Amino acid sequence: MRIAIITPSRMKPSTLAGKSGQYFLEHAVESANSQELDRPATIHFFVGTDPETEIPARLAAHPQITFVRGERKGQIPALNAAIRAVDESWDFVGFLEDDDHWLPPYLGFALRTLDSFDFVSSTQVETDEAGEVVRINDFPTPSGWLMRRSTFAQVGAINPASKWHYDNEWLGRLAETGLRRAHLVEATAPGTFENAVQVRPWLANVLRFGGPNTHLVRHGFILPLVCRLVHPGSGTSDVGQGGTSRVESDAEYQRLIDRFGRIPW
């Protein structure tokens, strides 16, 4: 079983407590190598970077990492460069932001879910740089995406016109394929739209705006199995601060509504 993981990275040093001297990317790779799997797997990272990014020697020589430079600066060119490097020899394709990580049961459960589905997304637990829990986030960020290679090929690359909401746009095209999608939630999460809409409106959005073949799948753990880091350097915080980023974000949302009739989740 061969699993390709696509990761955009600017090779930023870690700001996590107790992790000085490392890069965020190293944490992501460590979390993939800590997965509890019931069958042998080859896990390899295809890391997209800006053209001028300096790669430290210890990571350039890492046997599980292939670095691919984007044609120009920016997350989307870096992502698409990494996507182009994933050939048909890979059985599954996943995404993992370099400042996020998976809890050990994630990959095994997601792979078993793909026995019945074509694509998996996931709710996340968000933490700060000190490791403190901030909240549970039901938006299906790419760090929780895993899919069959055939799904990946059918939906295609990231839209180069996207900047802030490439994930929404890609999920919109996924929904148009009619493929079956599972969204993973923790054991105590609402299991239906009717229950989610009352107490977890973002989880209800996954079902309302994710497409007709989107289903919630509970795992047996109290916390979500994908951990997302919330910190000042993230793109989300940039949009939240307003200014040009917020204006661009709002314009991109409008294009999504014009294209899909909704903002896809």
Side-chain angles (χ1 to χ4, degrees):
M1 179 174 58
R2 288 164 55 80
I3 305 168
I5 307 300
I6 295 169
T7 300
S9 180
R10 293 176 178 167
M11 297 307 303
K12 296 290 186 182
S14 174
T15 56
L16 297 176
K19 296 291 187 177
S20 60
Q22 291 187 314
Y23 290 85
F24 278 126
L25 178 60
E26 292 176 283
H27 306 157
V29 174
E30 287 172 4
S31 83
N33 288 335
S34 298
Q35 295 300 294
E36 299 165 349
L37 300 175
D38 57 7
R39 42 187 159 163
T42 297
I43 300 175
H44 194 86
F45 280 73
F46 292 84
V47 179
T49 68
D50 287 339
E52 72 282 2
T53 298
E54 183 177 346
I55 312 275
R58 72 172 183 269
L59 289 177
H62 197 294
Q64 285 181 273
I65 302 176
T66 296
F67 287 96
V68 189
R69 298 185 186 277
E71 297 175 353
R72 62 184 185 280
K73 186 176 181 179
Q75 185 183 40
I76 305 307
L79 275 168
N80 278 332
I83 286 170
R84 287 192 294 270
V86 179
D87 63 29
E88 295 181 357
S89 68
W90 297 92
D91 302 304
F92 298 96
V93 178
F95 284 71
L96 182 60
E97 301 277 350
D98 68 352
D99 51 0
D100 298 339
H101 68 278
W102 298 329
L103 294 184
Y106 165 75
L107 193 54
F109 188 86
L111 287 167
R112 290 191 294 275
T113 303
L114 287 173
D115 289 339
S116 303
F117 292 87
D118 303 294
F119 176 86
V120 165
S121 57
S122 178
T123 287
Q124 314 98 58
V125 57
E126 294 188 342
T127 62
D128 62 19
E129 292 165 302
E132 296 294 324
V133 172
V134 176
R135 61 182 180 178
I136 287 178
N137 182 357
D138 289 310
F139 179 76
T141 184
S143 287
W145 294 4
L146 188 72
M147 68 200 85
R148 301 173 185 277
R149 178 66 177 80
S150 57
T151 298
F152 179 70
Q154 190 168 345
V155 180
I158 306 300
N159 186 341
S162 301
K163 181 176 181 181
W164 299 108
H165 306 296
Y166 77 86
D167 38 16
N168 299 91
E169 197 276 341
W170 197 94
L171 291 171
R173 286 187 282 129
L174 171 69
E176 289 179 335
T177 67
L179 295 171
R180 286 174 56 80
R181 171 184 168 190
H183 184 81
L184 307 184
V185 294
E186 71 278 15
T188 56
T192 66
F193 174 80
E194 290 74 18
N195 288 334
V197 76
Q198 299 177 44
V199 294
R200 295 266 288 266
W202 278 25
L203 187 56
N205 282 348
V206 172
L207 295 175
R208 179 187 283 129
F209 302 126
N213 283 334
T214 301
H215 306 267
L216 299 182
V217 175
R218 284 189 178 125
H219 51 71
F221 299 90
I222 299 301
L223 288 176
L225 301 179
V226 177
C227 292
R228 184 170 184 264
L229 180 64
V230 180
H231 59 107
S234 68
T236 302
S237 67
D238 196 21
V239 170
Q241 291 171 5
T244 303
S245 299
R246 184 57 181 267
V247 171
E248 292 175 345
S249 169
D250 290 345
E252 202 165 310
Y253 273 148
Q254 186 58 54
R255 290 196 294 273
L256 289 169
I257 294 170
D258 293 342
R259 165 69 172 81
F260 296 105
R262 69 192 192 285
I263 298 173
W265 279 60

